[in-house]
Amino acid sequence: IKLNSGVQLSVNGTLNAVGTTTSQIKFTWADGQNQWSGILFQGSGASNSRLDNCIVENASGTIINGYPYYGMLRMVQSSPTITGCTFNIPTGRYGIYLDSSSAVISNSTFSGTGNNTGINVTNNSAPTVTGSTFSGNGNGISIAADSGGMYTGNTFSGNGTGVSVAYSANNPVLSGNTFSNNTTADISAYGTITGTATWDGTSSNGTYYLQSLSIAQGATLNIASGNTVKLTSGAQITVNGTLKATGVHFTSDGQNQWSGILFQGSGAS
């Protein structure tokens, strides 16, 4: 499917684009020079949409009310299913931008040029992302403080940061993911953990990069053995709940000293 410069597919009903592993459906530019905009899924009426075994490339980002949002696919209060798709993401863009969405994304590939994001999760979104591969992106997945979701069995390799997460009331679940050769960090995190978080990504030397982080009373952070936690200048881990870390290396980011770990109150005992 070749789309002219600036053209956008706006879906308020149902779009079913179902290819196969040997015969994929490709959404791309028409003339090989000028980018089309993207696909916008908007409203609950679009939640039955499916993209299976599709390729999405050369899109500049969807537009709403004249404003660009830079997602090749954008989902607003809509939760389509994306399976086995490939996103070749241009510089400065998002492969998928989720806005109040619980999309189900599986077995897909997000490849970037270094200054882009595979999936951006914001505005009370809670997607399920499984079995997908993120490589060459600035951020594989970026999760805002107002959003959660399940992220399991994914592979993050050769990105700047594998997953960037702001913890708050909606704690995302990160489990069973594989990390390798991410230049800044496998997971970059800050905020307040209010539920249970487990950093168990498999890697020969997993690296977690923290700004200041708090663990609320009644909350738990589990960090798997063999991983390294790097903290920025002056950063502190404040524990009012439970921190479980066995065989973990806590250190600075290599430039300035961090503050330390504060265990505070009976909840941290």
Side-chain angles (χ1 to χ4, degrees), residues 84-148:
C85 292
T86 297
F87 296 85
N88 299 317
I89 309 167
T91 298
R93 300 297 186 255
Y94 304 100
I96 298 178
Y97 194 114
L98 301 176
D99 182 342
S100 301
S101 173
S102 298
V104 177
I105 303 164
S106 64
N107 302 315
S108 294
T109 300
F110 297 82
S111 299
T113 56
N115 183 25
N116 63 275
T117 298
I119 301 175
N120 191 59
V121 184
T122 189
N123 198 13
N124 297 303
S125 290
T128 299
V129 183
T130 60
S132 294
T133 299
F134 300 80
S135 62
N137 305 286
N139 282 299
I141 299 176
S142 180
I143 307 167
D146 57 14
S147 296

Side-chain angles (χ1 to χ4, degrees), residues 48-263:
N48 289 327
S49 296
R50 296 186 63 91
L51 267 63
D52 292 3
N53 295 301
C54 293
I55 299 171
V56 183
E57 63 181 16
N58 303 314
S60 62
T62 53
I63 297 172
I64 300 177
N65 297 326
Y67 293 95
Y69 285 92
Y70 308 119
M72 300 171 75
L73 265 61
R74 182 174 173 87
M75 303 169 188
V76 181
Q77 298 179 348
S78 180
S79 302
T81 299
I82 310 297
T83 305
C85 292
T86 297
F87 296 85
N88 299 317
I89 309 167
T91 298
R93 300 297 186 255
Y94 304 100
I96 298 178
Y97 194 114
L98 301 176
D99 182 342
S100 301
S101 173
S102 298
V104 177
I105 303 164
S106 64
N107 302 315
S108 294
T109 300
F110 297 82
S111 299
T113 56
N115 183 25
N116 63 275
T117 298
I119 301 175
N120 191 59
V121 184
T122 189
N123 198 13
N124 297 303
S125 290
T128 299
V129 183
T130 60
S132 294
T133 299
F134 300 80
S135 62
N137 305 286
N139 282 299
I141 299 176
S142 180
I143 307 167
D146 57 14
S147 296
M150 300 280 293
Y151 308 85
T152 60
N154 302 292
T155 299
F156 300 87
S157 177
N159 304 284
T161 298
V163 180
S164 176
V165 54
Y167 284 101
S168 186
N170 299 322
N171 284 289
V173 176
L174 306 169
S175 178
N177 299 297
T178 300
F179 299 92
S180 64
N181 301 316
N182 299 298
T183 55
T184 299
D186 294 329
I187 293 178
S188 176
Y190 67 94
T192 300
I193 295 173
T194 57
T196 297
T198 300
W199 297 347
D200 65 348
T202 56
S203 165
S204 59
N205 184 22
T207 302
Y208 300 85
Y209 188 87
L210 305 186
Q211 301 174 42
S212 288
L213 184 74
S214 297
I215 304 169
Q217 186 172 355
T220 300
L221 171 60
N222 301 298
I223 307 175
S225 177
N227 291 296
T228 298
V229 177
K230 294 184 176 181
L231 294 102
T232 58
S233 175
Q236 175 171 295
I237 300 174
T238 301
V239 184
N240 295 289
T242 301
L243 171 64
K244 294 182 178 180
T246 301
V248 175
H249 183 193
F250 294 90
T251 188
S252 72
D253 59 5
Q255 300 180 32
N256 298 287
Q257 291 181 323
W258 59 294
S259 293
I261 303 174
L262 171 64
F263 294 91

